[in-house]
Amino acid sequence: APGSVGAALAMDLVQSGDIISLSQDVIKPFYQKKAHAALEQVFTELRGINFHVHKPEGAFFLWLWFPELPITCIELYQRLKERGVLVVPGYYFYPGLREQWRHKDECIRVNYSQDTETFIAGLKMIADEVKRAYTIHS
């Protein structure tokens, strides 16, 4: 739920309908370009690692899946957190799942909305920790 200040600032845009053109003509192209650049960096930094990226469909996040990841995404999160990189473990997006499904322990959500240099530095550390996990456990 938005705070009252943000909602008050956006009220005129909503009432006039200008929010639609602002969203379609400015905000959407900006983040589409950012998503495309983020994907290029992901494929560069994670080269040599078995991974998949879920198709980005409008959020500020990329979902990275590391099949057969020998550690859980929560352990990967802890290792990355110690290095100053915050991701969201995919495990938390499957509440109430009764059957065992490895996929939920092999995914992380990565935010690409920060500046490019910060994003690339974080990706390098993600790649390093994932390579380390596969190497140590193979």
Side-chain angles (χ1 to χ4, degrees), residues 100-115:
Q100 292 297 318
W101 189 35
R102 253 276 328 116
H103 183 83
K104 70 179 174 53
D105 292 312
E106 299 170 336
C107 294
I108 58 173
R109 188 177 81 168
V110 179
N111 183 313
Y112 63 82
S113 66
Q114 67 271 13
D115 65 272

Side-chain angles (χ1 to χ4, degrees), residues 24 31-33 63 74 80 90 125:
Q24 291 176 343
Y31 281 105
Q32 281 178 328
K33 182 178 176 184
W63 280 96
I74 294 174
L80 290 168
M125 287 185 251

Side-chain angles (χ1 to χ4, degrees), residues 76-137:
L76 178 59
Y77 160 80
Q78 291 295 340
R79 290 180 182 189
L80 290 168
K81 182 179 170 187
E82 288 174 13
R83 295 179 70 174
V85 176
L86 296 178
V87 299
V88 180
Y91 173 84
Y92 296 114
F93 292 86
Y94 299 94
L97 186 66
R98 293 195 174 136
E99 63 272 4
Q100 292 297 318
W101 189 35
R102 253 276 328 116
H103 183 83
K104 70 179 174 53
D105 292 312
E106 299 170 336
C107 294
I108 58 173
R109 188 177 81 168
V110 179
N111 183 313
Y112 63 82
S113 66
Q114 67 271 13
D115 65 272
T116 303
E117 295 77 26
T118 301
F119 180 71
I120 292 171
L123 272 178
K124 287 179 186 290
M125 287 185 251
I126 290 169
D128 184 54
E129 287 298 331
V130 170
K131 286 177 185 174
R132 188 170 147 243
Y134 282 117
T135 301
I136 290 173
H137 293 90

Side-chain angles (χ1 to χ4, degrees), residues 9-123:
L9 291 172
M11 186 182 314
D12 288 342
L13 290 170
V14 172
Q15 289 175 335
S16 69
D18 289 342
I19 194 142
I20 301 299
S21 63
L22 178 63
S23 298
Q24 291 176 343
D25 302 333
V26 177
I27 297 170
K28 183 178 177 180
F30 175 81
Y31 281 105
Q32 281 178 328
K33 182 178 176 184
K34 205 157 178 59
H36 180 72
L39 282 171
E40 285 183 3
Q41 283 304 138
V42 164
F43 283 99
T44 297
E45 298 302 332
L46 299 181
R47 185 173 290 124
I49 296 174
N50 182 20
F51 78 98
H52 301 279
V53 180
H54 294 271
K55 179 182 175 187
E57 297 182 300
F60 305 125
F61 308 101
L62 295 176
W63 280 96
L64 305 180
W65 172 32
F66 303 101
E68 305 295 323
L69 184 65
I71 60 174
T72 67
C73 58
I74 294 174
E75 185 175 343
L76 178 59
Y77 160 80
Q78 291 295 340
R79 290 180 182 189
L80 290 168
K81 182 179 170 187
E82 288 174 13
R83 295 179 70 174
V85 176
L86 296 178
V87 299
V88 180
Y91 173 84
Y92 296 114
F93 292 86
Y94 299 94
L97 186 66
R98 293 195 174 136
E99 63 272 4
Q100 292 297 318
W101 189 35
R102 253 276 328 116
H103 183 83
K104 70 179 174 53
D105 292 312
E106 299 170 336
C107 294
I108 58 173
R109 188 177 81 168
V110 179
N111 183 313
Y112 63 82
S113 66
Q114 67 271 13
D115 65 272
T116 303
E117 295 77 26
T118 301
F119 180 71
I120 292 171
L123 272 178

